[in-house]
Amino acid sequence: MNPLHTNDVRGSHAIHDTAPAARWEDAFLAGNGEYGIMVEGGPQRERIVLTHHRYVLPNGTRHLRAAETADRLEEIRDLVLAGRAPEAQRIWARGEELRWTQSFHPGHALEIGDPARGPVRDYLRRTDFDTGEIIVVWQDDAGAHRRRSFVSRADAVLVHELTGPPAELRLRLTGDLPDCPDDVLHTCTAAGLDPERALLNARATYPPGLGAYGFEAVLLVHAPGARIDTDGDVLILRGARRVLLLGRLDRHERPGWQTGALHGSLDRLPADYDTLLAAHTALHTPAYRRAALDLTGAGSAEAARPSTATAPAEAAPPSTAPAGASAADLVERQRKSPDALDPALLELLFHSGRYLLLSASGVLPPRLTGLWIAAWGVAWCGDFTTDANLNLQLAGANLAALPEAVHAHAALVRGQVADWRANARALYGVRGLLAPGRTDGEHGHLFHLDDDWPWPAWLAGADWLLHPLHEYWRTTGDDAFLRAELAGWLVEAAEFFEDFLTRTDDRGHVVFVPSYSPEIAPEGVAGSATVNAVMDVSAGRHALESAIEVCEHLAVEPAAVARWRALLLRFPPYLVNSAGRLTEWAWPGLDGNLDHRHVSHLYPVWPLHEITRDSAPELAEAAHRALVDRGDENLSAHGSLHRALAAARLRDAGLARANLLKVLGGDMLFRSLMSSHNPGLEIYNADAAIALPGLVLELLVDARPGRLDLLPALPAELARGAVRGVTCQGRVTVEELAWDSAAGTVRAVLRSAVDQTLAVHCRGARRSVPLVAGTAEAVVFDGV
């Protein structure tokens, strides 16, 4: 038996499979936040797809800008208030068709041919979350084979090593990937450099005149002791026992290639897998180990420990999953019991989701497909859909101790905040920030609209997208980031509403008009541009309150703070209909349309703490009724998880559990543990896979400055467990939270970065816990 099979299951800190990927969606994944790899794991014909966060197909939209309609704002408002929203929407659309963002696309595929020498035995492929490696092993009549891959966070390089009996290997870079457009032209070459090294190069040019020029991959091949030949674009290595491939990717704005520079940068790296891995794990491993979960009683939460040491290639935390159980086994077990949560699968998905969030976050945050795709023509352009999906994927970034993901999100905002200012000026003639409903990551201009999609009326976008950054500051106390950028952005978000809110109703409340609850319209009303969408009202309130908070913290802008406080007093109240539901629009006569995937009107519940069971019990009950009555529409993953997050905040463990089971029991997990958008493995999509850690933590911890709620929405199946390394708003870390429902005991170890007294609640019990900065403090609840 191959020695790796003695410890092939790394518990819930790895996934493994005993068969290669039968389709690209089952490929195992690794990335460094810029480059990604998708390893299919075929022993005789390996295929590794290379991806890059900035690979987007030019489509001529770079020059598009928001409509210059500021001089018609009052006309637009009058039309919407008169029930003639379609006419207002046509003013923005200007008779043009819906234009999409530039579509995310794969790069190239590395194909490795290895001749069969008898039947394959003891096959195993594994992704080790702790190191970020993908390892494939098998036996045949010639001996043992191993392939190891990772993408270095330290050196920005793809690394792939092949070891085994001497063989004739055939290596090729190709652009032959499904649905590649005919006008994307590929050129692939192979060349020997010296007796032990060779170069594989793949170039592709985009259709001319639509944007960027093209993209390329360069792989430097080290093959000591092998004979190197070429056959066209195929590199032939004879007698190779160990081969190391180092790769870099790039995208070029203007004609010309950077092959020489990329090759030179690879030449300067050490030609040693373990040396490169040590540099990578020095960054990746401590980040991954900051938080961990144990729902099976096998101690996987022990992985959440401080670590500065590098991890060797075979290292990983001890096994916690059932012996021999693969990810596919656990998914199938859950599928056969769709009405009961499987703690082992949920634990595995928590760690997989943190791994994928970390691996997909760097130069940008995760896309709709994270950092990975192996076919062209991805759904919804594989972009950043900002009205729901992006923030849902970031739901656990702060709680799950992954500031890398928050910094990546800040990079996205930083790269387009000037465009948000331009949108506000062009559409409304105001200061501040107006974010688009989607972006490809290259710019933030608001052009994705037509007669039916009134994205200019979505006023909440900037506050929604800045919220993870505001939460990060509340979690870490990073005043340097606050002073350098965040405070300015939050002030501009407030200034937008200060300038925009000039209309009032007959009670003196400001009127949000035009307004838009994303992707939905009220029943019985023409058009989707409306009045006082609850998400917009809540975002406006939060934008002003956040700006006030940071300005007072920094002791700046007292006059603006006074104006914002006065404006807040004139905000419209939320409405509750005759059925007891919080209405989606805080405007008389606008209601209905219950069967929809979005729950944007629960923005004051999640991610905000504006409506809570303790601070606003009547509104919380109305929000809960609105959530219970909401239909499922198409059972999209993001819709179910958004509902589950809101249910957790409203302390409804059963409803949160039911929505989680729609994903786990709904055939929405590939063998890679990447998720699908819809049941039946329809549409490769990262929403569920990456959002799940955030949801799991919201079931276990609800944190806001000054208050911590433990086990606010614990599902019945999770009767015993432990979580470590949860970083909370208010600068408190839950170093450990352990519970045993049968014994009625809950124990938490808390550490604060500042001196404070924290109100800790658990199932109706309360403790006032004094915390001394830097000192761990245990709090125990018995009989709960």
Side-chain angles (χ1 to χ4, degrees):
M1 177 177 288
N2 191 295
L4 286 182
H5 279 260
T6 63
N7 61 352
D8 59 348
V9 181
R10 301 301 191 180
S12 61
H13 297 283
I15 57 172
H16 80 279
D17 204 340
T18 54
R23 53 183 173 182
W24 65 259
E25 291 92 340
D26 292 328
F28 281 5
L29 308 172
N32 68 348
E34 182 177 18
Y35 305 167
I37 54 174
M38 307 179 69
V39 180
E40 296 182 14
Q44 274 85 50
R45 186 173 177 80
E46 177 66 283
R47 187 175 177 91
I48 303 173
V49 176
L50 315 180
T51 64
H52 192 295
H53 235 322
R54 298 196 184 277
Y55 280 2
V56 292
L57 177 64
N59 63 357
T61 60
R62 278 187 173 183
H63 70 283
L64 296 180
R65 299 293 182 266
E68 296 281 349
T69 59
D71 60 342
R72 302 186 69 179
L73 174 56
E74 298 312 316
E75 177 188 358
I76 289 170
R77 286 174 160 166
D78 289 340
L79 288 169
V80 172
L81 288 167
R84 297 161 60 189
E87 296 174 52
Q89 292 168 205
R90 286 194 289 271
I91 293 173
W92 291 317
R94 299 172 293 186
E96 296 181 5
E97 295 183 354
L98 191 71
R99 298 293 299 271
W100 280 85
T101 52
Q102 300 172 111
S103 183
F104 181 51
H105 66 78
H108 296 88
L110 169 64
E111 295 179 342
I112 303 171
D114 189 351
R117 282 151 291 184
V120 170
R121 303 183 300 276
D122 299 331
Y123 175 89
L124 175 77
R125 60 184 177 124
R126 185 182 78 233
T127 301
D128 189 327
F129 304 153
D130 201 49
T131 65
E133 288 178 281
I134 301 170
I135 302 175
V136 182
V137 296
W138 73 92
Q139 298 264 9
D140 61 19
D141 290 349
H145 302 255
R146 181 180 69 175
R147 293 173 182 170
R148 300 190 285 171
S149 310
F150 69 96
V151 190
S152 176
R153 191 168 281 272
D155 296 306
V157 63
L158 311 167
V159 184
H160 183 72
E161 181 191 63
L162 304 88
T163 57
E168 178 180 303
L169 302 175
R170 301 175 72 86
L171 280 64
R172 178 174 178 251
L173 266 181
T174 177
D176 183 17
L177 291 168
D179 302 315
C180 182
D182 293 338
D183 49 5
V184 175
L185 305 179
H186 292 270
T187 303
C188 303
T189 60
L193 297 175
D194 55 46
E196 294 192 338
R197 298 186 312 146
L199 201 68
L200 290 169
N201 179 222
R203 300 169 174 175
T205 54
Y206 293 123
L210 298 178
Y213 173 69
F215 57 100
E216 70 174 319
V218 175
L219 295 185
L220 178 59
V221 182
H222 295 270
R227 175 185 165 190
I228 299 177
D229 293 303
T230 60
D231 180 7
D233 61 355
V234 177
L235 184 68
I236 304 171
L237 307 178
R238 294 185 173 91
R241 291 180 176 272
R242 180 183 299 270
V243 179
L244 180 70
L245 295 89
L246 306 178
R248 285 218 163 107
L249 314 177
D250 204 358
R251 185 170 188 264
H252 307 304
E253 291 294 305
R254 291 172 292 279
W257 303 102
Q258 297 297 318
T259 310
L262 293 172
H263 173 203
S265 69
L266 294 173
D267 242 347
R268 292 188 287 273
L269 294 172
D272 181 77
Y273 182 96
D274 290 329
T275 299
L276 292 166
L277 178 63
H280 165 66
T281 54
L283 298 176
H284 173 94
T285 302
Y288 175 75
R289 289 183 179 179
R290 289 189 199 115
L293 178 70
D294 180 7
L295 298 176
T296 61
S300 71
E302 289 299 322
R305 59 191 184 276
S307 174
T308 56
T310 59
E314 301 302 325
S319 172
T320 63
S326 68
D329 293 334
L330 293 177
V331 170
E332 178 63 14
R333 190 169 78 185
Q334 177 70 83
R335 190 187 67 80
K336 290 180 178 178
S337 301
D339 298 324
L341 288 175
D342 187 323
L345 176 61
L346 192 59
E347 180 184 310
L348 179 61
L349 287 167
F350 176 85
H351 294 128
S352 174
R354 285 188 74 253
Y355 168 76
L356 293 174
L357 176 58
L358 175 63
S359 300
S361 298
V363 297
L364 293 168
R367 295 176 174 272
L368 285 173
T369 61
L371 180 54
W372 305 277
I373 196 68
W376 292 68
V378 60
W380 304 289
C381 298
D383 63 11
F384 303 94
T385 305
T386 58
D387 66 337
N389 311 66
L390 174 57
N391 282 49
L392 288 167
Q393 290 194 28
L394 294 172
N398 286 300
L399 276 176
L402 285 176
E404 293 83 358
V406 184
H407 296 323
H409 183 59
L412 177 69
V413 173
R414 184 181 304 117
Q416 52 187 253
V417 70
D419 301 334
W420 297 1
R421 296 184 191 110
N423 295 336
R425 289 193 302 270
L427 288 158
Y428 295 126
V430 300
R431 297 174 298 163
L433 308 176
L434 184 65
R438 58 188 339 113
T439 172
D440 51 38
E442 288 205 337
H443 62 75
H445 295 294
L446 201 163
F447 63 83
H448 176 77
L449 58 101
D450 63 7
D451 289 356
D452 297 322
W453 292 92
W455 284 110
W458 184 49
L459 312 176
D463 184 72
W464 168 243
L465 291 168
L466 291 174
H467 178 265
L469 307 181
H470 179 235
E471 184 182 61
Y472 164 80
W473 171 69
R474 282 183 156 191
T475 301
T476 65
D478 186 349
D479 277 355
F481 174 54
L482 180 70
R483 292 179 186 276
E485 293 180 307
L486 180 58
W489 297 340
L490 294 175
V491 165
E492 288 186 273
E495 288 174 340
F496 173 85
F497 289 101
E498 183 180 6
D499 289 2
F500 178 84
L501 295 172
T502 58
R503 288 277 181 113
T504 58
D505 62 18
D506 56 7
R507 296 169 295 170
H509 296 130
V510 292
V511 178
F512 289 71
V513 60
S515 184
Y516 182 42
S517 196
E519 305 188 37
I520 189 171
E523 288 185 347
V525 175
S528 302
T530 55
V531 186
N532 287 3
V534 165
M535 184 179 192
D536 288 341
V537 175
S538 180
R541 179 179 287 109
H542 184 252
L544 294 170
E545 291 175 344
S546 299
I548 290 169
E549 178 186 11
V550 300
C551 286
E552 291 186 335
H553 177 78
L554 298 174
V556 297
E557 302 288 351
V561 167
R563 294 196 307 271
W564 297 333
R565 288 192 184 282
L567 180 56
L568 283 168
L569 297 175
R570 300 166 56 214
F571 266 49
Y574 300 129
L575 301 181
V576 178
N577 68 13
S578 59
R581 290 189 298 266
L582 179 74
T583 62
E584 194 152 352
W585 297 269
W587 189 254
L590 299 184
D591 200 6
N593 209 340
L594 291 175
D595 189 26
H596 200 268
R597 61 196 175 279
H598 284 261
V599 287
S600 302
H601 56 314
L602 298 183
Y603 188 57
V605 174
W606 186 92
L608 307 185
H609 281 96
E610 181 188 351
I611 295 177
T612 67
R613 288 289 188 185
D614 56 279
S615 67
E618 292 183 359
L619 280 176
E621 185 56 37
H624 183 256
R625 174 48 53 193
L627 182 60
V628 169
D629 290 351
R630 193 71 154 194
D632 283 312
E633 195 183 9
N634 60 1
L635 287 168
S636 64
H638 74 82
S640 295
L641 293 186
H642 202 162
R643 287 167 168 78
L645 285 160
R649 286 283 175 89
L650 292 168
R651 307 293 188 258
D652 189 337
L655 187 58
R657 171 187 176 278
N659 278 284
L660 177 57
L661 279 170
K662 292 172 189 174
V663 175
L664 301 192
D667 193 20
M668 299 179 75
L669 295 169
F670 295 103
R671 296 175 77 94
S672 58
L673 292 190
M674 179 57 81
S675 49
S676 64
H677 187 273
N678 297 329
L681 297 178
E682 181 186 357
I683 306 176
Y684 191 80
N685 175 268
D687 290 347
I690 295 182
L692 266 166
L695 170 58
V696 171
L697 290 178
E698 291 272 0
L699 301 174
L700 305 179
V701 173
D702 182 13
R704 47 192 136 148
R707 177 171 176 148
L708 179 65
D709 286 80
L710 303 178
L711 308 182
L714 186 70
E717 293 92 338
L718 311 184
R720 184 172 180 267
V723 66
R724 300 193 182 200
V726 184
T727 50
C728 303
Q729 294 188 61
R731 305 185 67 183
V732 172
T733 297
V734 180
E735 293 193 340
E736 180 181 13
L737 168 63
W739 67 94
D740 186 333
S741 297
T745 60
V746 178
R747 180 180 185 272
V749 178
L750 311 177
R751 188 183 300 269
S752 174
V754 295
D755 292 346
Q756 61 175 302
T757 298
L758 186 67
V760 182
H761 296 251
C762 183
R763 296 176 168 179
R766 182 185 186 278
R767 300 277 191 278
S768 182
V769 182
L771 297 174
V772 177
T775 302
E777 184 71 31
V779 56
V780 178
F781 293 87
D782 289 312
V784 293

